[in-house]
Amino acid sequence: MTKGTETRTAILDEAADLASRVGLGGLTIGTLATQTGLSKSGLFGHFASKEALQIGVLGRARERFVDRVLRPTLATPRGDQRVRALFEHWLAWQQGGFAGGCLFIDAVSEFDDQEGPVRDELLRSERDKAETVMTIVATAVAEGDLAADLDLEQFAFELQGIILAHHYSCRMLRAPDATDRARTAFERLVASARPR
Amino acid sequence: MTKGTETRTAILDEAADLASRVGLGGLTIGTLATQTGLSKSGLFGHFASKEALQIGVLGRARERFVDRVLRPTLATPRGDQRVRALFEHWLAWQQGGFAGGCLFIDAVSEFDDQEGPVRDELLRSERDKAETVMTIVATAVAEGDLAADLDLEQFAFELQGIILAHHYSCRMLRAPDATDRARTAFERLVASARPR
DNA sequence: CCAAGAAAAGCACGACCGTTCGGATGCGTC
DNA sequence: GACGCATCCGAACGGTCGTGCTTTTCTTGG
């Protein structure tokens, strides 16, 4: 790895943490430069524009999500157990993935109404994530751990809801029992998806 | 109502719509002034600072939430039916309350990590909302429509999750069946809370 | 060890930010 | 008609934003 791409990823990692606190739009070249010990122009040289930087941050965050959540999940045995692993890793990600909560959740509510390349990239990323989630749940169905007639989209919808509620309860309300509540909700979801 | 407070609320209404699209932090005095047909300074005269403006927006949004969701809900018969009304009005609010989705959801993920008066006000508002929701659910318990040993906090947590997933699915993914999915999830939640 | 090229710094720009200030304008009151 | 008060305006402030240019410093392959 050449020096250029090395500092580039270092910048993106720092930027992702910063953006998880102040949002992708709140990202500033100046503060990001200070944070990384670079000059404004020195940093800017790695990106064509601020928009390109934001998209780069999303890409880097995706890599980290794959490393911290998806890869460990896929390393567990197929079926029920894997769905559980996905949920647990996902929960852990939201608290330890970035300095200020899940970057994607923040980015979604920031860019859901702002058309443009950033939203497009984010949408692609979210669709991809949903697809992966449904695939994992589908294997649990194939294994017979979940009902054969399970509505995958509905399951993914409700799982996403639990994750979002956990993030909300955790980051905004700072409720100490947020994780317990999320687990309880998850158990109820899985129980209702069991084969009858 | 004097002229001053009249334009003030007009400003706040406009600001709320604008903020629902670009976020509370994305609010700018300049564009807001243009939007309302005022001069920058003329507009600014109504608020002590930009932060005060943001807090004012939250207050105005709360008023609108009470008018559009809470008041109609409390006008329906106590119990099961009222919980249902709350959910339906809440869903409608998310699509029709503001130009760019629910302002509170946007504000939460924007300010959950930014200490200060805005976050404090937002937290107060959210706590208050949760309290109201739990009160409404509690009446359904008292009426015998829901189980006597129902965990109110857990119910509120999961209901919030459905609302958030709906917002996510609606505003970001633009899924046409988001409302149906939310209703299905709600039915499952209520069913599991029924007395046994 | 040196030259070629990449990487970072330095500097400056135009635009826009929140905010301040002095002065118009209109409106009730003596 | 003169006054005080509320409302709004235009102009300007210092600061920060993203983004180009030019120059210096560092990295690296032969």
Side-chain angles (χ1 to χ4, degrees):
Chain A
M1 171 145 60
T2 171
K3 180 80 193 307
T5 61
E6 187 180 322
T7 53
R8 195 189 129 97
T9 45
I11 292 173
L12 288 180
D13 273 328
E14 192 68 43
D17 272 328
L18 189 57
S20 75
R21 288 194 302 264
V22 298
L24 272 181
L27 259 186
T28 327
I29 309 264
T31 57
L32 186 54
T34 312
Q35 206 103 12
T36 54
L38 286 179
S39 70
K40 252 185 12 166
S41 51
L43 183 144
F44 188 76
H46 290 274
F47 309 94
S49 68
K50 182 180 176 180
E51 208 170 51
L53 167 69
Q54 292 172 324
I55 292 177
V57 169
L58 284 180
R60 178 66 184 139
R62 247 192 81 72
E63 282 180 27
R64 273 163 67 167
F65 183 80
V66 170
D67 278 354
R68 301 264 251 116
V69 180
L70 261 32
R71 210 184 308 279
T73 295
L74 294 176
T76 61
R78 298 160 51 89
D80 182 58
Q81 208 172 331
R82 187 175 288 180
V83 176
R84 248 191 187 73
L86 168 66
F87 178 68
E88 285 298 331
H89 283 118
W90 204 346
L91 278 190
W93 157 267
Q94 296 209 65
Q95 293 168 291
F98 294 105
C102 178
L103 172 64
F104 293 107
I105 295 180
D106 290 343
V108 159
S109 52
E110 193 176 352
F111 282 90
D112 58 357
D113 284 307
Q114 305 202 52
E115 312 296 330
V118 178
R119 194 198 130 89
D120 294 343
E121 171 68 22
L122 186 58
L123 180 58
R124 207 171 306 124
S125 171
E126 289 297 307
R127 277 202 217 281
D128 212 67
K129 191 193 295 177
E131 199 91 4
T132 307
V133 169
M134 281 166 54
T135 303
I136 291 173
V137 177
T139 69
V141 171
E143 293 287 316
D145 292 340
L146 296 180
D149 63 342
L150 179 65
D151 186 340
L152 289 181
E153 302 247 17
Q154 183 70 28
F155 189 95
F157 178 94
E158 302 199 24
L159 183 57
Q160 181 77 39
I162 297 173
I163 292 291
L164 289 171
H166 174 257
H167 189 269
Y168 169 84
S169 191
C170 219
R171 314 294 312 187
M172 183 72 225
L173 305 181
R174 309 217 167 126
D177 58 352
T179 304
D180 292 337
R181 299 239 167 259
R183 287 208 180 98
T184 304
F186 176 75
E187 289 307 326
R188 207 174 59 76
L189 175 61
V190 169
S192 78
R194 282 265 145 71
R196 276 164 306 273
Chain B
M1 171 145 63
T2 170
K3 180 80 193 306
T5 61
E6 185 181 325
T7 54
R8 195 188 130 98
T9 40
I11 292 173
L12 288 179
D13 274 328
E14 193 68 44
D17 272 328
L18 189 55
S20 74
R21 286 194 302 260
V22 299
L24 271 181
L27 260 186
T28 52
I29 309 263
T31 57
L32 186 54
T34 311
Q35 207 101 14
T36 54
L38 286 180
S39 71
K40 264 198 339 178
S41 53
L43 184 145
F44 190 76
H46 292 272
F47 308 94
S49 66
K50 183 182 174 178
E51 208 170 51
L53 168 68
Q54 293 172 325
I55 293 178
V57 169
L58 283 180
R60 179 65 183 141
R62 247 192 81 72
E63 282 180 25
R64 271 165 62 168
F65 183 80
V66 170
D67 278 354
R68 300 263 253 120
V69 179
L70 261 33
R71 208 184 307 280
T73 295
L74 294 176
T76 62
R78 296 160 51 89
D80 182 55
Q81 207 171 333
R82 187 177 288 182
V83 176
R84 236 178 202 85
L86 168 66
F87 178 69
E88 285 297 330
H89 282 118
W90 204 345
L91 279 190
W93 157 265
Q94 296 209 65
Q95 295 170 290
F98 294 106
C102 178
L103 172 63
F104 293 107
I105 295 181
D106 290 344
V108 159
S109 52
E110 193 175 352
F111 282 90
D112 56 359
D113 285 305
Q114 305 202 52
E115 312 297 329
V118 178
R119 195 198 129 88
D120 294 344
E121 171 68 22
L122 186 57
L123 179 60
R124 207 171 308 125
S125 172
E126 289 297 306
R127 277 203 216 283
D128 212 68
K129 191 194 294 178
E131 199 93 4
T132 307
V133 168
M134 280 165 54
T135 303
I136 290 172
V137 176
T139 68
V141 171
E143 293 287 318
D145 292 338
L146 297 180
D149 64 343
L150 179 65
D151 186 340
L152 287 181
E153 302 246 15
Q154 183 69 29
F155 190 94
F157 179 94
E158 302 201 25
L159 183 58
Q160 180 78 37
I162 298 173
I163 292 291
L164 289 172
H166 174 258
H167 188 268
Y168 169 84
S169 190
C170 219
R171 313 296 308 189
M172 183 71 226
L173 306 181
R174 305 200 171 143
D177 58 353
T179 304
D180 291 338
R181 301 241 166 256
R183 287 208 181 100
T184 304
F186 177 75
E187 288 308 326
R188 205 175 59 77
L189 175 62
V190 169
S192 78
R194 281 266 145 71
R196 275 167 305 274

